[in-house]
Amino acid sequence: MKNVYLIGIGGIGMSALARYYKHQGSCVAGYDRTPSSLTKELQNEGIEIHYDDDITQIPAAFKRDKHETLVIYTPAIPADLMEYIYFKEMGYSIIKRSMALGVIAKDKRTLGVAGTHGKTTTSTLLAHILTNSGAGCNAFLGGISKNYHTNLLLSNSNLLVAEADEFDRSFLQLWPQTAIITSADADHLDIYSNYESIKGAFEEFASQVSDNLIVKLGTNIETGNSKAKVYYYSYDSESDFYASDIKVSENGYFGFTLNYPGGSVKNCTVGIPGWVNVENAVAASAAAILEGVSTESVKEALAQFEGVERRFDIQINNSKCSYIDDYAHHPKEITAAVSSIRNMFPGRKLTAIFQPHLYSRTRDFAAEFAQSLSKLDELILLDIYPARELPIEGVTSEIILNEVTIKNKILTSKERLMEEIANRDIDVLITFGAGDIDRFVKPIKEYLKKRYNV
């Protein structure tokens, strides 16, 4: 396509598409609501972006060549966005992000990674193993790889690694040859209405996999309709792929034996700490081994993995003060992260800042959020980040706060957040959330480094 215009271009999935089409030689531009470090990078790469919902700011070439312009939008945009309405009424070819990815994947051997949590780290790790081994791959990632400093990998390989997102049933646009399902918990109930509905969507995705389906042991989905051979993986329970002889060092890095159907690989390590990343490594290794990557290449790549920005992302690791930033926005993700951090820093005080994401998710999981956050020593709770939603009457962060059982808890505004941090003795600090809490990571890191001289 000559021109590609993206509405919501600053999203992690949308920005990868923008980079892909730019690489393919298309003229690429787009709109986003707010500037970010990612939109700045896209602009530096020659992509024109504006931040007002204003059809007069759409570049002239995109208006002139209607039949040579593809418009891609994210379902996170509001239905009354003027630019979206303009393109629709003018008869442009307009498709969702998931459909664009599905079209690209159609001619590739696709390795899809799905799950209500764990998919970004697992897909990035799988892409890294394939790249590091020399097999190569193209990859559309749901985060910024710290090994490659991007969310898009391109190569001459016919392999495509894609994060298969369950939001808005996007992953049903993919028909992978190999797929991983890391979890299928209740989430996005604004889209799915109930757990049975989301479970059914994952089962439909599983039925679209043709060769190898790799499912986390204990995941509550039926795989009988899948044409693929089904494998199970686990952190440490015996299954097709699992870890054993697990040893943790003082700083939270793990050594383990990787067990697979043909044998085992001893003395494996993951280049980032936390037991949850051993589990992610087992899943990614399973897919790589089934695609023919040697176990020695897998072992080497695991050790060299640097992680993903905002996924268990260690900013400071010091005996005086440690700081971890994490994208966790579901109760089970928070529980797993806190468990891993407790494992890394036994006996230390954990303080977390949590920004709830979406009114509907806060309403649906208030009790579960309170339970997971009660595993902390201190909690600083922020107001709900609305994203695509309008407020829901009676739904505020207070409904979580009221159920949290620890004594040291407070609800504060973003404007007062740095003051709250300054007023407390920080040992281990974690920021949790999928909203704009990421804007605070750099200032928090700089403040803590200066305050504790680390």
Side-chain angles (χ1 to χ4, degrees):
M1 187 62 73
K2 184 179 176 183
N3 301 318
V4 178
Y5 190 86
L6 296 102
I7 306 173
I9 195 169
I12 196 72
M14 293 287 280
S15 59
L17 285 171
R19 285 171 160 154
Y20 173 81
Y21 284 109
K22 174 85 168 142
H23 181 267
Q24 294 297 105
S26 298
C27 179
V28 179
Y31 156 81
D32 207 274
R33 187 174 59 175
T34 52
S36 65
S37 57
L38 198 44
T39 56
K40 186 178 178 183
E41 286 174 14
L42 294 178
Q43 287 174 302
N44 290 340
E45 292 165 23
I47 294 172
E48 189 175 334
I49 301 173
H50 62 270
Y51 303 97
D52 297 311
D53 179 21
D54 178 2
I55 60 174
T56 66
Q57 294 188 46
I58 298 168
F62 292 77
K63 291 180 173 178
R64 190 168 52 244
D65 297 326
K66 181 171 78 172
H67 299 294
E68 291 291 332
T69 297
L70 173 66
V71 178
I72 303 171
Y73 71 99
T74 168
I77 63 164
D80 60 354
L81 195 81
M82 286 188 293
E83 291 195 15
Y84 172 72
I85 292 168
Y86 167 79
F87 285 120
K88 209 169 176 186
E89 289 181 347
M90 295 300 290
Y92 279 75
S93 175
I94 179 166
I95 61 173
K96 285 184 182 180
R97 174 185 64 85
S98 56
M99 188 176 289
L101 182 57
V103 170
I104 294 166
K106 206 164 124 184
D107 298 323
K108 304 282 187 186
R109 180 170 177 82
T110 302
L111 285 61
V113 183
T116 42
H117 35 266
K119 60 183 174 286
T120 297
T121 300
T122 303
S123 57
T124 306
L125 187 40
L126 174 57
H128 169 64
I129 294 170
L130 294 169
T131 301
N132 197 73
S133 71
C137 70
N138 303 278
F140 288 82
L141 305 172
I144 304 297
S145 161
K146 295 178 83 172
N147 285 86
Y148 307 103
H149 309 290
T150 184
N151 56 346
L152 175 71
L153 297 181
L154 296 168
S155 79
N156 294 323
S157 168
N158 194 46
L159 291 175
L160 173 70
V161 176
E163 181 167 321
D165 188 2
E166 74 281 1
F167 174 69
D168 199 39
R169 295 180 169 81
S170 294
F171 59 175
L172 299 182
Q173 296 290 335
L174 295 173
W175 295 75
Q177 281 67 46
T178 292
I180 298 168
I181 298 178
T182 65
S183 49
D185 297 312
D187 197 9
H188 300 301
L189 297 183
D190 55 326
I191 301 291
Y192 289 99
S193 75
N194 58 47
Y195 174 62
E196 285 305 312
S197 182
I198 192 168
K199 181 173 173 281
F202 272 96
E203 289 171 350
E204 188 175 346
F205 173 74
S207 75
Q208 296 178 185
V209 182
S210 61
D211 296 353
N212 305 300
L213 176 60
I214 305 154
V215 182
K216 182 179 169 183
L217 190 67
T219 302
N220 184 30
I221 61 165
E222 298 293 331
T223 58
N225 289 330
S226 180
K227 301 177 288 292
K229 183 167 182 183
V230 180
Y231 299 88
Y232 291 94
Y233 77 94
S234 168
Y235 168 55
D236 61 355
S237 296
E238 194 168 324
S239 45
D240 296 308
F241 297 87
Y242 67 101
S244 61
D245 307 317
I246 300 167
K247 295 178 179 66
V248 60
S249 65
E250 286 182 16
N251 53 9
Y253 291 84
F254 281 73
F256 61 98
T257 294
L258 173 65
N259 300 281
Y260 63 100
S264 60
V265 193
K266 296 184 184 301
N267 301 316
C268 293
T269 59
V270 186
I272 54 175
W275 70 261
V276 71
N277 288 313
V278 175
E279 183 175 88
N280 294 332
V282 171
S285 299
I289 290 167
L290 291 172
E291 288 298 320
V293 177
S294 74
T295 54
E296 282 307 307
S297 293
V298 168
K299 178 179 175 179
E300 180 185 314
L302 292 180
Q304 294 177 13
F305 184 58
E306 296 173 16
V308 185
E309 289 183 14
R310 299 227 61 228
R311 267 61 173 194
F312 213 86
D313 194 355
I314 297 175
Q315 304 291 319
I316 300 171
N317 191 358
N318 191 277
S319 58
K320 294 178 185 176
C321 171
S322 299
Y323 171 37
I324 298 171
D325 177 46
D326 194 84
Y327 190 72
H329 55 285
H330 184 280
K332 289 205 173 180
E333 293 171 336
I334 293 172
T335 298
V338 173
S339 169
S340 286
I341 294 164
R342 287 275 185 214
N343 195 288
M344 286 173 63
F345 302 115
R348 293 179 67 178
K349 184 180 75 172
L350 303 191
T351 303
I353 302 161
F354 175 52
Q355 181 188 48
H357 184 259
L358 299 178
Y359 293 101
S360 59
R361 186 182 281 122
T362 303
R363 175 198 63 202
D364 296 336
F365 298 105
E368 291 87 346
F369 275 123
Q371 191 175 10
S372 62
L373 294 167
S374 295
K375 299 179 188 298
L376 298 161
D377 298 304
E378 287 187 331
L379 171 65
I380 301 171
L381 190 61
L382 297 176
D383 293 323
I384 297 167
Y385 182 79
R388 57 188 178 270
E389 292 185 337
L390 294 172
I392 297 172
E393 189 177 348
V395 178
T396 69
S397 291
E398 283 191 17
I399 66 174
I400 295 175
L401 189 77
N402 291 340
E403 293 198 47
V404 170
T405 58
I406 58 174
K407 288 182 181 178
N408 294 321
K409 58 180 182 177
I410 190 169
L411 175 61
T412 193
S413 64
K414 286 185 288 188
E415 291 74 23
R416 293 201 58 203
L417 178 58
M418 295 306 295
E419 184 184 332
E420 282 295 334
I421 295 169
N423 286 339
R424 32 189 97 226
D425 181 26
I426 300 296
D427 185 3
V428 178
L429 180 68
I430 313 117
T431 39
F432 285 130
D436 61 359
I437 193 170
D438 62 318
R439 310 286 170 96
F440 286 93
V441 175
K442 190 175 179 182
I444 289 172
K445 181 180 180 179
E446 288 174 354
Y447 169 76
L448 293 175
K449 285 178 76 172
K450 188 176 178 181
R451 176 177 169 183
Y452 291 99
N453 194 28
V454 294

